[in-house]
Amino acid sequence: MPADRSALGAFLRSRRDALTPATAGIAPFPGPRRVPGLRKEELAVLAGLSPDHYSRLEQGRQHTVTDDIVDALSRALRLDEIEDAHLRNLAAPMRRKRSSMWESPQRPNPGLLRVLTTMDHVPALVLGRRSEILACNMLARAVLGEEIDRGVVLVRWLFLDPRARERIVNWSDYASAAVGAMRYEVGRHVADARLTVLIDELRLASEDFAHWWNDHGVADRTSVDKKIAHPVVGRLSFGIESLVSPHDPEQRLIVYTVEPESSTARALPMLASWGPASAESMG
């Protein structure tokens, strides 16, 4: 069974389990229910498919999935925008790229790097594939901790470094969205062996990661605001904005935004004057 078709079936099953007949707006089929959500037959009717055709999709036995079928499944499952995009990635024909593309070292996009160097008033960093930090400014290290630097895999730090849980107040919200973002990346890059190795490592090392991974949820990590408990200046609150380079869609500039005149806005110049090492040592 092709790996992407297996992933497609697992995703369909997870979204079907999460949708009840009442939520879907249909009367439940008669007979005892042995599943938490919709039956296969119920979803097939909603999507306008035969039960056998839908079963082949969920079992990973349907090699070709047309756009019309994807549209019907997305509507029937009431997928949001990022779930819909993930479904389309999983249903697309198998995409193989040169293994050297995924193995070569990542370098920050020059345009994003130039923008980053102008941002000295808010935390900012450039993320590449597999959430690797390709560049970050001093305020990012001052806010998140000295361990945040170029070359760090952000999702590994998030789950395996206990300092991440201490620093991020809403760690569960942010971490669960990070898992969803990783699953979305897997759907886009099924040939990235290093990404698969990273996910296997995190599933073994973190029960939280494994739990959220098994939910098959997808999410946009950048939409989750971040609350920081800083050892010196106290509670900090940030919105998160993500800018994608038109020349390299695999890289994003992540900017921590603040409300004007807020306590966070007043604290950042203080942190900038101290630097990350000074701020940590005063805690």
Side-chain angles (χ1 to χ4, degrees), residues 38-203:
L38 290 178
R39 294 172 174 171
K40 289 182 182 180
E41 296 81 3
E42 292 168 336
L43 182 56
V45 168
L46 277 172
L49 305 175
S50 71
D52 180 63
H53 190 173
Y54 179 76
S55 289
R56 292 198 305 272
L57 286 169
E58 198 168 285
Q59 293 167 6
R61 296 188 292 111
Q62 183 70 33
H63 181 69
T64 302
V65 187
T66 66
D67 289 341
D68 288 345
I69 290 175
V70 173
D71 290 342
L73 289 170
S74 183
R75 287 193 301 269
L77 290 168
R78 303 197 172 194
L79 302 184
D80 61 26
E81 183 177 351
I82 193 166
E83 289 173 329
D84 177 83
H86 183 60
L87 175 63
R88 293 177 191 281
N89 287 331
L90 295 178
M94 190 69 168
R95 302 170 304 284
R96 292 288 180 187
K97 296 185 179 181
R98 303 184 314 274
S99 61
S100 59
M101 172 182 176
W102 307 117
E103 297 298 328
S104 59
Q106 301 182 76
R107 294 179 175 83
N109 175 271
L112 293 182
L113 196 57
R114 285 194 295 271
V115 176
L116 178 68
T117 58
T118 68
M119 307 189 75
D120 57 1
H121 59 294
V122 292
L125 48 88
V126 176
L127 279 185
R129 299 188 305 274
R130 313 176 202 100
S131 77
E132 181 181 338
I133 299 176
L134 306 183
C136 62
N137 65 8
M138 184 274 294
L139 266 178
R141 294 191 295 272
V143 166
L144 295 177
E146 286 186 89
E147 62 272 18
I148 295 299
D149 208 344
R150 181 173 180 173
V152 169
V153 176
L154 192 60
V155 72
R156 182 184 285 124
W157 169 79
L158 191 61
F159 281 93
L160 303 188
D161 192 328
R163 291 171 292 188
R165 295 176 188 253
E166 296 170 359
R167 189 63 65 101
I168 303 175
V169 176
N170 59 331
W171 182 88
S172 293
D173 294 337
Y174 192 75
S176 61
V179 177
M182 292 298 286
R183 183 170 284 285
Y184 183 70
E185 188 171 352
V186 167
R188 295 175 62 234
H189 303 310
V190 295
D192 188 349
R194 289 180 63 184
L195 179 58
T196 300
V197 169
L198 172 63
I199 290 168
D200 289 344
E201 172 197 351
L202 294 172
R203 291 176 69 186

Side-chain angles (χ1 to χ4, degrees), residues 230-260:
H230 195 275
V232 178
V233 297
R235 186 69 62 93
L236 301 172
S237 298
F238 297 98
I240 305 295
E241 297 295 334
S242 176
L243 306 176
V244 179
S245 167
H247 305 294
D248 189 348
E250 301 302 322
Q251 296 189 22
R252 295 171 293 150
L253 176 65
I254 308 299
V255 182
Y256 287 48
T257 62
V258 298
E259 291 291 334

